[in-house]
Structures are given as structure tokens and as C-alpha cells.
């Protein structure tokens, strides 16, 4: 749509104007999904002039959100960390990837149309499990898959999904062993009351 001196003139892609000479005219050209362009003309008496306008598209805003803070990559290029807005200049299909430590990558296809703001949500799924180990009494040495991991109580994250061998040792108590099956995205608690070793009694006598 063309506006001349703030008055609507006509719609279309080609216009023919008759302007009074030696009087400045403000031209405003607008179209849905494009940035409005302004131009000031100062026509001279008897002058014929051709003016070409090339409108630039309005960028399309997209809001990215996810269940945990995640980096967002668009066609391999990092855009930011959720939540955030990004403005896309070109309406087309984009490959979007959400990435966060401890979670599986979330990939989707974003089809953009000009001038239509969008919200993109991603629900990330944990790629590892958490194990909480407690004992009575506390202070037992912990081994997970043969590797010392401190003493009870202890919380261990980023463990792979599947079976893990847990061993608890405390002087004066029986050693305890258990295989725990962990599932990604879940927290499992292993609690055990250790059994005391029988007391050793030594009797000496003098004949």
C-alpha cells in the first residue's frame, strides 16, 4: 500500500503519481510481512521520475523454551540458551537441536512463515540415572562397580542406565553387596542396615 503525505493513495506493486512541482512529498510503502519504507521526493516542474522500492522482510520472532536450560543450535549454529527469543530473517524450514548435559539431544524441524511468531518447546529426557546410598550406621565405605566412591550417605549422578554392583564395608560389620538396576531419568535409593560381626572372646588361664 502506498501512502503520500500521510494519505492513503492506492494498493498494488506499480503506481503512477502526479505531484505538484517544487513541493516535497513523503512516500510510504508498506506490505504485510515487510518493513515499511519511507522516501522523500522533491519533484521539479516537467520532471518525470521512476522510483524503485525494494522492501525488506520483517524478521519472525521465535521463543525457545525447554524443561531444563539447554543450548539451541539451528542448522549447526548455536543461537543461545533457553529460554530466549531469536529473530529469523528468512521463512523456511530449520533443523533445531536442544542440548543439555545429562540429557538426550532433542531434535525437531521448525517451519517458519513470515510474520507469524512461534513458540518452540522441548521436553528433554535424562540420559543417565542417580543413585543414593545410605547405611545404618553411616560411614560405610562405598564401592560402585569396583570403584571406591566415598562413604555413606552418598549421592551419585550421571550413572549409566543398567545394573551396578554396590558394596558397603565398615569395620566391625558384615560386608554388604547388592546389584542395583538403574533407569535413566530416575533416582534410586539403596538403604541397608549393616549387621555386626560376632564379638571374639579370648579366654586365657594359668594352670
Amino acid at each position: 500500500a502506498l501512502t503520500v503525505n500521510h494519505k492513503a493513495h492506492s494498493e498494488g506493486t506499480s503506481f503512477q503519481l502526479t505531484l505538484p512541482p517544487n513541493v516535497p512529498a513523503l512516500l510510504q510503502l508498506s506490505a504485510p510481512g515487510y518493513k515499511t519504507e519511507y522516501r522523500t521526493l522533491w519533484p521539479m516542474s516537467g520532471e518525470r521520475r521512476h522510483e524503485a522500492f525494494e522492501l525488506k522482510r520483517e524478521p519472525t520472532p521465535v521463543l525457545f523454551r525447554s524443561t531444563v536450560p539447554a543450548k539451541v543450535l539451528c542448522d549447526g549454529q548455536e543461537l543461545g540458551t533457553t529460554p530466549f527469543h531469536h529473530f529469523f530473517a528468512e521463512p523456511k524450514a530449520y533443523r533445531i537441536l536442544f542440548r543439555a548435559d545429562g540429557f538426550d539431544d532433542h531434535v525437531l524441524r521448525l517451519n517458519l512463515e513470515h510474520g507469524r511468531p512461534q513458540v518452540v518447546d522441548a521436553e528433554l529426557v535424562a540420559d543417565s540415572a542417580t543413585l543414593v546410598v545410605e547405611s545404618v550406621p553411616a560411614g560405610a565405605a562405598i564401592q560402585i562397580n569396583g570403584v571406591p566412591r566415598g562413604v555413606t550417605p552418598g549421592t551419585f549422578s550421571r550413572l549409566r542406565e543398567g545394573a551396578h554392583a554396590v558394596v558397603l564395608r565398615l569395620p566391625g560389620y558384615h560386608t554388604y553387596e547388592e546389584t542395583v538396576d538403574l533407569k535413566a531419568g530416575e533416582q534410586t535409593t539403596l538403604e541397608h542396615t549393616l549387621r555386626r560381626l560376632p564379638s571374639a572372646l579370648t579366654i586365657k588361664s594359668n594352670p
Side-chain angles (χ1 to χ4, degrees):
L2 177 64
T3 300
V4 180
N5 293 331
H6 306 293
K7 295 182 180 180
H9 182 272
S10 59
E11 296 185 358
T13 56
S14 180
F15 311 95
Q16 185 171 349
L17 302 176
T18 300
L19 300 174
N22 304 317
V23 177
L26 175 64
L27 275 59
Q28 174 184 329
L29 192 63
S30 59
Y34 291 82
K35 292 183 177 181
T36 299
E37 185 173 342
Y38 298 88
R39 192 169 299 179
T40 301
L41 302 181
W42 197 298
M44 306 298 292
S45 179
E47 179 186 26
R48 294 178 62 88
R49 179 184 299 185
H50 174 76
E51 290 286 333
F53 288 80
E54 184 176 352
L55 299 184
K56 296 181 180 180
R57 289 187 179 274
E58 283 282 4
T60 302
V62 178
L63 171 61
F64 292 95
R65 303 184 301 193
S66 56
T67 48
V68 297
K71 292 182 179 179
V72 176
L73 288 81
C74 175
D75 294 338
Q77 180 180 359
E78 185 175 332
L79 300 182
T81 301
T82 58
F84 70 97
H85 280 91
H86 185 78
F87 292 87
F88 289 83
E90 186 176 356
K92 66 174 187 176
Y94 295 90
R95 181 180 183 273
I96 304 298
L97 182 147
F98 290 79
R99 177 168 291 166
D101 290 340
F103 294 82
D104 291 327
D105 287 350
H106 183 88
V107 181
L108 56 85
R109 190 175 182 84
L110 174 62
N111 295 305
L112 280 186
E113 297 180 15
H114 245 322
R116 291 189 60 186
Q118 293 195 34
V119 177
V120 179
D121 290 314
E123 183 175 351
L124 301 186
V125 179
D127 64 1
S128 58
T130 299
L131 175 62
V132 178
V133 182
E134 300 176 348
S135 69
V136 179
I142 304 169
Q143 278 191 353
I144 300 178
N145 300 325
V147 179
R149 301 297 295 269
V151 298
T152 58
T155 300
F156 309 96
S157 58
R158 303 300 304 278
L159 298 176
R160 61 173 174 77
E161 185 176 62
H164 294 262
V166 181
V167 180
L168 301 179
R169 291 188 175 92
L170 185 65
Y173 293 82
H174 287 281
T175 296
Y176 178 75
E177 299 181 12
E178 183 176 337
T179 298
V180 181
D181 189 30
L182 302 181
K183 294 184 178 180
E186 296 184 4
Q187 176 175 295
T188 301
T189 300
L190 170 63
E191 298 176 293
H192 183 71
T193 299
L194 299 173
R195 294 186 299 113
R196 282 186 176 275
L197 291 170
S199 300
L201 179 61
T202 300
I203 302 176
K204 293 183 180 180
S205 65
N206 292 319

